[in-house]
Amino acid sequence: MSGRLTPRRPVPAPHRTPRGRLRAAALGTVLVAVLSPALSACAGDGTAAGGSAAALKWASSYFPTHWDPVVGGSGAQFRELALVYASLTRTDAKGNAVPDLAESWKYNSAGDQITFHLRPGLKFSDGEPVDATAVKAAIERAKTQKDSALFGDLTSITKVDAEGLDAVVHLNQVDYQIPQLLGERVLQIASPKAARSPAALDQHPVGAGPFIVTQIVPGTKAVLKKNPDYWDAKDIHIDTVELTSAPDASTVVSGLQTGVYNFADIEPSQAEAAKKAGLDVFVQPGFNASNISLNVNKAPFDDDRVVDAVRYAVDRQEFVDKLTFGYGEVTDQPFPKGYVAYDPASADAYPYDPAKAKELLAQAGHKPGDITLDLVIPTDDPQAEIVQSQLAKVGIKVTIKIEKNWATPFFAKDLTFSLYSTTGRDSAVQTLTAHFGPHGPLNLSSPYEPAGFEAAVAKVRRTPLDAPDYAQVLQAATRAGLRSKALVFTFSQPNLFAKSRSVSGLPKNPAHIDWTGVTIGGH
């Protein structure tokens, strides 16, 4: 019922990593070392030359900067980490939490305790048992490790008792979101033995997922083999994976054509070229949403009239037309239309109206050109130019400033004006609290939160996911969050992948890549 979102603008941890990390100067060496051997050693259909192994060759724009899931698992690269790590639950095509390492779970009658029962006989790739002790260690580490990107997602959990294969999770409130929360994004479980040294785990990942890492070239390439001890190994038909950090976006399609890769995430601008090249373009449902972030604790956004002026000055359709190549849609909330948390009652609350924006600025005592803003972003982004142009039309001057260390002031809430895109969460409540909660990482205006939001979210937590009124209660919480003056949502789009026709279709699990049942080259 939820999932994190995959944006198209670069956002560092905890929500995604920049695209195109490799610079041109480094590419010559990297491509000679990494791609040339792939060309000579592998046939174009993903089958090793002279052999019969089914090989996935994935060019990823989200190549992990961290292989410790506590540090790197919250961003878009969680899809790559899911090659190595399994979780208590995973997400099915309907967005529901279904069994993964845990074969079942059950709440107590009060709803403030949930017991996950693990599958028997499982082990991590280092031979350590997958049991409740491992679950307890994973949650405790995610809550306490200094560089954890996940601690803010686990605030409902007070402690975990390990009883053999039963992990008893104690909560500080009624919270029926936990099975969705502890899925592929927030709790990818590492071997507790390996995790005793997080720095070592970051270099040598050890999980209980479908594949085992055999080689990592940091920032460049990872080689993996099928894990014979994975609980669903019978449905994994890929023998080896070569995960490569994608070079410049313009070369990805040609790399797919020549067999350097047989799977790659692509930008919407590449989709038509991929189709013309005879490749399959896989449109994966997602929860991606982009926004303009405002800090209401700083002038000029401490004046509600200025905030509303920005809201009316934004033409969302321009973002869609110029950036998504027909794959996106306008949105004014962090969920796409049709998703259970999307609130129809909140749609188009601030339609494009530049005349209204000018009127509000005048009421606030500002003449055209009075307000000058620095729009601080981590890298070149066409969204910034659109914002700059649209606000100029109502008399607000915007200077785009690129700050490579943007994440530090953003998450410290020191910026006044920025952009953000999110890949969502497996729990809709997580998405809401991340954006609108007083300590939400995506709330540039912390500790500000809209009136009534806390109570609305608490009601969602108390409502079982299968309750008849769940959608109504959840949408009411979305409505409460959207009263926030800290974010102006602009557009959403799905995740796009291109693959050779030798790679069979993938399950359309929202925001996730599931290799279950996927075959390559007839294998």
Side-chain angles (χ1 to χ4, degrees):
M1 302 181 64
S2 45
R4 295 200 188 199
L5 310 173
T6 301
R8 286 292 169 250
R9 73 169 252 85
V11 176
H15 294 280
R16 69 159 286 189
T17 56
R19 286 182 175 268
R21 262 186 237 92
L22 300 178
R23 297 290 183 264
L27 276 176
T29 301
V30 169
L31 294 180
V32 169
V34 176
L35 302 186
S36 295
L39 277 168
S40 61
C42 298
D45 66 354
T47 302
S52 59
L56 174 69
K57 296 175 291 183
W58 180 358
S60 172
S61 298
Y62 306 94
F63 190 90
T65 52
H66 294 283
W67 287 88
D68 177 356
V70 162
V71 181
S74 77
Q77 58 197 331
F78 81 96
R79 300 184 187 93
E80 284 77 359
L81 296 186
L83 293 167
V84 182
Y85 299 105
S87 307
L88 288 174
T89 66
R90 56 180 175 174
T91 303
D92 69 7
K94 294 182 179 180
N96 296 321
V98 295
D100 196 16
L101 293 178
E103 62 182 6
S104 63
W105 50 87
K106 185 178 181 180
Y107 275 91
N108 65 353
S109 58
D112 60 1
Q113 178 181 301
I114 179 172
T115 299
F116 290 91
H117 182 69
L118 298 172
R119 301 176 188 274
L122 302 184
K123 60 183 179 180
F124 294 98
S125 59
D126 62 358
E128 290 294 299
V130 177
D131 56 15
T133 299
V135 175
K136 174 181 173 69
I139 292 176
E140 291 178 347
R141 193 167 71 90
K143 285 173 68 70
T144 61
Q145 187 166 301
K146 186 176 180 181
D147 56 353
S148 172
L150 307 177
F151 67 91
D153 294 321
L154 302 172
T155 55
S156 287
I157 299 175
T158 57
K159 68 172 183 175
V160 181
D161 291 332
E163 302 174 1
L165 294 177
D166 289 338
V168 184
V169 180
H170 299 267
L171 310 173
N172 57 20
Q173 58 186 318
V174 177
D175 191 348
Y176 288 105
Q177 296 280 313
I178 298 299
Q180 290 193 302
L181 173 68
L182 300 184
E184 290 172 280
R185 188 140 197 159
V186 171
L187 197 67
Q188 295 177 322
I189 301 175
S191 162
K193 179 180 178 181
R196 288 172 194 157
S197 174
L201 181 69
D202 214 21
Q203 302 292 322
H204 306 284
V206 180
F211 300 96
I212 300 170
V213 171
T214 59
Q215 178 191 7
I216 291 179
V217 180
T220 302
K221 182 179 74 168
V223 179
L224 306 93
K225 65 179 182 180
K226 179 178 175 178
N227 179 6
D229 295 319
Y230 177 55
W231 73 266
D232 196 22
K234 69 181 186 307
D235 291 322
I236 299 298
H237 307 301
I238 298 169
D239 299 304
T240 63
V241 178
E242 184 175 288
L243 181 69
T244 304
S245 181
D248 183 81
S250 62
T251 69
V252 170
V253 171
S254 61
L256 287 161
Q257 283 181 286
T258 58
V260 175
Y261 322 118
N262 54 19
F263 187 83
D265 45 277
I266 60 171
E267 297 286 356
S269 59
Q270 299 170 282
E272 190 60 31
K275 290 178 180 178
K276 288 180 178 179
L279 302 166
D280 286 333
V281 173
F282 171 56
V283 180
Q284 180 206 49
F287 305 106
N288 306 321
S290 296
N291 68 66
I292 302 167
S293 294
L294 314 178
N295 192 333
V296 301
N297 301 312
K298 297 178 181 289
F301 300 123
D302 54 352
D303 187 325
D304 289 352
R305 293 168 294 186
V306 176
V307 172
D308 285 346
V310 171
R311 286 168 158 169
Y312 284 114
V314 172
D315 179 3
R316 294 172 175 84
Q317 191 62 47
E318 184 178 0
F319 289 87
V320 172
D321 294 343
K322 291 184 175 180
L323 302 179
T324 73
F325 293 79
Y327 287 95
E329 61 181 11
V330 300
T331 189
D332 47 14
Q333 46 193 290
F335 306 110
K337 293 176 183 177
Y339 178 51
V340 63
Y342 181 86
D343 179 42
S346 297
D348 209 26
Y350 291 88
Y352 179 50
D353 190 341
K356 179 71 170 177
K358 291 178 182 179
E359 179 183 337
L360 287 164
L361 291 172
Q363 290 175 8
H366 298 290
K367 297 178 182 178
D370 279 357
I371 297 178
T372 60
L373 295 168
D374 288 338
L375 180 59
V376 183
I377 56 177
T379 189
D380 285 330
D381 188 342
Q383 288 188 66
E385 296 173 5
I386 294 174
V387 171
Q388 183 184 52
S389 172
Q390 291 184 357
L391 293 189
K393 292 176 181 177
V394 301
I396 298 175
K397 182 179 179 181
V398 173
T399 300
I400 299 170
K401 290 196 172 182
I402 296 175
E403 173 56 61
K404 293 181 180 179
N405 295 320
W406 162 93
T408 299
F410 185 95
F411 293 114
K413 319 300 182 185
D414 290 334
L415 299 182
T416 300
F417 190 41
S418 190
L419 299 178
Y420 206 98
S421 295
T422 175
T423 52
R425 302 293 200 280
D426 287 317
S427 159
V429 166
Q430 263 188 295
T431 298
L432 290 172
T433 56
H435 285 89
F436 308 125
H439 306 295
L442 311 188
N443 177 7
L444 189 58
S445 296
S446 293
Y448 159 79
E449 69 174 328
F453 177 69
E454 185 176 357
V457 166
K459 187 174 181 180
V460 179
R461 294 186 192 277
R462 294 193 301 267
T463 305
L465 275 62
D466 58 356
D469 62 343
Y470 176 72
Q472 178 183 346
V473 172
L474 179 56
Q475 289 165 20
T478 298
R479 198 173 314 133
L482 290 172
R483 298 189 187 106
S484 172
K485 302 177 184 301
L487 300 109
V488 180
F489 290 92
T490 52
F491 72 102
S492 66
Q493 63 187 22
N495 305 310
L496 297 180
F497 299 89
K499 64 181 182 67
S500 74
R501 295 189 182 278
S502 65
V503 179
S504 68
L506 278 70
K508 288 198 172 185
N509 297 359
H512 294 272
I513 297 178
D514 185 355
W515 298 106
T516 304
V518 177
T519 61
I520 298 178
H523 292 272

